[in-house]
Amino acid sequence: MSAPPDAPAPPRRVREVITKSEDEYIRGASAETLARPAGEILESLPWEGPAPDADALPAAAFLSWL
Amino acid sequence: MLDLARPLTLSTFDPHRVDDLSDAELDALSSGVICLDEEGTVLRYNLYESRLARLDRNQVIGRNFFTEVARCTHTGDFEGRIRAFAARGDAVEVERFDFVFDFRFGAQNVKVELTRAADAPRFYLFVNRTSAGGPRPAIPVAQLAAQQRDLAPDEARRGVIRDELERRVVDAPAPLFAALRATCDRLAPETWQLFATEWGVQWGRRTAVDLEASVLESGGRSLREVPMSEVARLVSSYLSERGWGSPFFDFAHTTEGLLVVELERSALAEATPRPPRLNRTPDDDLACHIVAGCLAGILSSVAGRRLAAREVSCVAGGAPRCAIVLVAHGRRAAVDAALGEGSRGIEPIRAALRRAPRAVDSVG
């Protein structure tokens, strides 16, 4: 069943490896932030949105945040 | 509920429920899972195991694990332990041991957890890799795990293409996706956004498993532990190398709970006829739902929480660039409402999110 160890391997689809510089794939955060573990960064983002601004939100919307 | 962001261990997961996990659930894990019968025949083999062993499970399932698939385990330290565990009946629920898997392409140090199905003669191996390195020089070839070409030597002549990691691939031209959308437009046009996004999410979960394996092989531990910039680079390169375009992560609005990903030269946008067609659906001008879903799947895995992604502007609709926003899953309704009203671009979506009341299901 096994192929001989020195048998030529069938052709493989080898992708071109793309080496991107940082300014080609990310912006908007400090180097210190981007150096922190990804799980820690993404867990700490305020995904629910910022704290509501009582002066800017309609009263009903503001109350729904409380 | 399974925590897909962390390796599964029987210390935190009820061994009796193992057999209840669906194949899709097993494939979303960043742990190898192998199910054997009493003879050692492989019954189930998940995506992570397939990726790290570089074996196609279609050729693995049905073979003897110890003698045909992973010959390095045909030893007392591995096969012997499993046979002894099986012989002990129900006396022991979980057994743990360390082992080294020897492949031609390298050795992997693993921690194995062994348990049995609750009501059937099936055994589950949970395999958590702790490190991966080059081949160990002293291991005879006959004791190395099989390679894909051992299991299916002539498959190239039968129309099978594989990539450098032995994953089966299909050379799919971009018009295939235009044809898929055209089919959906014809049969069920209102479902396209939902269908394409969910397809992308499922793809993204599997991509996260793939990226986890890549990180492990390059010396890291997990996606969550590598720097944020490295995750952005990995995801951007992964999609670019596969021809989907070039994703660009913009953290400028993250203080508002909004992560933006711009997508240059999107294959999906460029495969969509321009100008937009008849606007038969509210999102007729948005084409990149599959990539948006993929990003949601990957980043949800890293964030350890459910995120939603929506394309908010698209080259297919005449915008200068494609832009995707990621928000908490519970805030997606506000984005959808704004998109449904015709809002396009980052700023209108930011404004809509600022006006939106807090979603009741926003956590998780």
Side-chain angles (χ1 to χ4, degrees):
Chain A
M1 177 193 67
S2 297
D6 54 350
R12 291 288 181 268
R13 184 62 54 97
V14 179
R15 293 188 182 88
E16 181 182 352
V17 175
I18 298 173
T19 305
K20 297 187 178 191
S21 58
E22 196 163 287
D23 60 2
E24 291 178 292
Y25 61 82
I26 200 164
R27 70 165 168 245
S30 67
E32 293 76 23
T33 297
L34 296 177
R36 288 165 54 199
E40 182 185 313
I41 292 295
L42 293 181
E43 267 185 12
S44 67
L45 293 184
W47 289 108
E48 309 307 328
D53 179 352
D55 295 329
L57 274 181
F62 178 73
L63 290 173
S64 74
W65 281 80
L66 300 178
Chain B
M1 183 176 168
L2 290 176
D3 181 353
L4 301 178
R6 294 173 175 84
L8 188 64
T9 169
L10 295 173
S11 300
T12 55
F13 182 78
D14 180 3
H16 295 113
R17 285 194 51 223
V18 167
D19 215 30
D20 297 333
L21 295 174
S22 68
D23 287 347
E25 286 175 312
L26 293 185
D27 279 350
L29 297 175
S30 296
S31 304
V33 181
I34 304 161
C35 176
L36 306 175
D37 70 8
E38 289 176 302
E39 301 304 317
T41 304
V42 181
L43 303 176
R44 304 177 80 187
Y45 196 81
N46 78 335
L47 189 64
Y48 192 78
E49 189 59 36
S50 176
R51 165 65 181 78
L52 277 162
R54 302 188 189 180
L55 295 173
D56 185 334
R57 63 177 150 199
N58 288 295
Q59 271 75 48
V60 169
I61 290 172
R63 293 182 188 268
N64 186 280
F65 183 72
F66 310 116
T67 59
E68 295 184 277
V69 177
R71 294 182 293 251
C72 55
T73 66
H74 191 36
T75 66
D77 282 347
F78 198 104
E79 182 179 357
R81 282 175 185 269
I82 292 174
R83 293 199 180 282
F85 182 85
R88 286 199 297 271
D90 292 323
V92 181
E93 285 195 338
V94 179
E95 179 160 333
R96 298 178 173 83
F97 57 95
D98 294 346
F99 196 73
V100 181
F101 281 167
D102 285 299
F103 301 93
R104 285 182 196 244
F105 56 82
Q108 296 171 357
N109 291 301
V110 301
K111 289 187 177 299
V112 179
E113 292 181 306
L114 171 64
T115 191
R116 56 171 54 81
D119 54 3
R122 288 189 289 273
F123 301 89
Y124 278 85
L125 297 155
F126 285 74
V127 185
N128 285 308
R129 268 78 177 174
T130 55
S131 63
R136 295 196 294 175
I139 307 300
V141 169
Q143 291 176 22
L144 296 173
Q147 303 178 100
Q148 177 57 34
R149 63 184 174 120
D150 296 332
L151 303 182
D154 294 323
E155 61 182 5
R157 296 169 62 100
R158 296 184 171 87
V160 176
I161 306 173
R162 295 195 182 277
D163 68 10
E164 68 279 12
L165 295 173
E166 306 290 358
R167 292 169 297 200
R168 186 165 183 179
V169 294
V170 175
D171 194 342
L176 179 73
F177 295 94
L180 179 68
R181 175 155 188 177
T183 305
C184 193
D185 281 350
R186 193 169 169 190
L187 299 178
E190 300 296 334
T191 66
W192 173 247
Q193 190 259 354
L194 183 66
F195 171 81
T197 305
E198 181 57 23
W199 184 16
V201 169
Q202 296 287 338
W203 171 36
R205 287 179 186 156
R206 288 157 177 78
T207 299
V209 170
D210 205 4
L211 294 174
E212 287 283 1
S214 298
V215 167
L216 180 89
E217 288 180 329
S218 61
R221 290 299 309 274
S222 78
L223 268 183
R224 292 171 56 83
E225 292 171 346
V226 301
M228 187 65 237
S229 60
E230 178 65 3
V231 169
R233 187 190 67 77
L234 283 169
V235 174
S236 184
S237 297
Y238 186 96
L239 291 170
S240 293
E241 288 167 5
R242 287 157 180 78
W244 294 94
S246 184
F248 191 105
F249 290 78
D250 186 348
F251 278 72
H253 307 301
T254 50
T255 54
E256 300 169 28
L258 184 72
L259 178 60
V260 175
V261 182
E262 292 182 357
L263 183 61
E264 269 187 69
R265 296 297 312 272
S266 165
L268 295 170
E270 293 187 10
T272 301
R274 283 181 291 174
R277 295 151 303 160
L278 302 175
N279 282 320
R280 285 171 300 182
T281 60
D283 67 339
D284 212 23
D285 58 329
L286 303 174
C288 305
H289 304 305
I290 299 171
V291 173
C294 180
L295 290 166
I298 296 171
L299 295 178
S300 293
S301 174
V302 181
R305 63 175 299 152
R306 198 170 176 199
L307 302 177
R310 295 289 187 267
E311 188 179 31
V312 298
S313 66
C314 185
V315 167
R321 63 183 61 83
C322 302
I324 292 163
V325 299
L326 287 113
V327 296
H329 193 256
R331 298 173 84 199
R332 72 194 185 289
V335 179
D336 287 341
L339 291 171
E341 291 166 0
S343 296
R344 294 291 183 270
I346 304 300
E347 292 310 317
I349 298 302
R350 287 177 66 198
L353 285 169
R354 281 195 292 268
R355 289 192 303 269
R358 167 168 273 178
V360 291
D361 64 338
S362 58
V363 176

